[in-house]
């Protein structure tokens, strides 16, 4: 298993993500000052996003049914627990975008290859943060 989002397992048989990119931001707004350089102030953590990209070959791996399941999860607007394949609890995340591109079609229009990108945004959750810290402590 590569990772779990809620009860959806990313694996070689469902949606094998070949690339994961995580972006974490920290808020540091700046204030203009007369006759001086602007001054910035750290105000806390900003957005935390993950983008997972991969390619499905429906004859060998997952297919449209798995992408539709992710769409149904996104339709709920719920935040889902995200657990890395090594057991690290990464907190709760919402699906913000799912992009799908079909290539190499059969005569009936069925795709032999489906490229996908799944975008997630971390949702603040105090109990998720505490659980992630406890699990991280047990693993180290």
């Amino acid at each position: 298993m590569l990772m779990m989002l809620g009860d959806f397992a990313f694996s070689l048989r469902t949606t094998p993500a070949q690339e994961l990119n995580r972006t974490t931001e920290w808020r540091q707004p700046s204030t203009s000052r007369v006759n001086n350089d602007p001054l910035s102030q750290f105000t806390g953590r900003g957005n935390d996003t993950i983008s997972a990209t991969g390619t499905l070959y429906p004859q060998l791996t997952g297919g449209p049914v798995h992408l539709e399941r992710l769409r149904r999860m996104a339709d709920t607007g719920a935040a889902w627990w995200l657990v890395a394949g090594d057991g690290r609890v990464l907190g709760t995340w919402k699906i913000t975008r799912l992009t799908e591109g079909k290539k190499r079609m059969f005569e009936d229009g069925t795709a032999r290859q489906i490229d996908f990108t799944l975008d997630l945004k971390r949702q603040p959750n105090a109990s998720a943060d505490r659980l992630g810290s406890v699990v991280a402590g047990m693993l180290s």
Side-chain angles (χ1 to χ4, degrees):
M1 174 188 74
L2 304 170
M3 66 180 174
M4 290 276 300
L5 181 64
D7 63 353
F8 186 88
F10 291 82
S11 69
L12 296 178
R13 290 182 296 151
T14 60
T15 48
Q18 282 91 19
E19 188 174 330
L20 289 171
N21 293 299
R22 184 173 181 176
T23 303
T24 305
E25 299 173 352
W26 290 268
R27 296 185 315 258
Q28 298 192 34
S30 59
T31 303
S32 297
R33 300 184 303 167
V34 177
N35 296 326
N36 215 331
D37 292 337
L39 182 65
S40 65
Q41 179 181 5
F42 177 71
T43 59
R45 195 170 180 151
N47 290 327
D48 199 355
T49 59
I50 291 178
S51 183
T53 59
T55 301
L56 305 179
Y57 298 96
Q59 309 86 328
L60 305 171
T61 62
V65 65
H66 297 101
L67 296 179
E68 283 306 315
R69 179 144 181 249
L70 288 169
R71 281 191 175 87
R72 285 194 309 273
M73 289 172 69
D75 285 344
T76 68
W80 304 88
W81 287 93
L82 182 64
V83 180
D86 63 5
R88 288 180 298 125
V89 177
L90 302 175
T92 53
W93 298 71
K94 286 187 177 186
I95 299 171
T96 59
R97 177 179 292 143
L98 177 61
T99 306
E100 170 183 352
K102 297 181 179 184
K103 297 179 182 176
R104 296 176 179 76
M105 308 295 205
F106 287 109
E107 289 179 9
D108 66 354
T110 304
R112 295 180 190 179
Q113 177 181 338
I114 304 170
D115 297 320
F116 72 91
T117 301
L118 178 69
D119 294 327
L120 305 172
K121 183 175 180 183
R122 189 170 191 279
Q123 299 301 300
N125 181 325
S127 63
D129 293 339
R130 282 192 301 275
L131 180 60
S133 297
V134 168
V135 171
M138 292 181 345
L139 294 175
S140 53

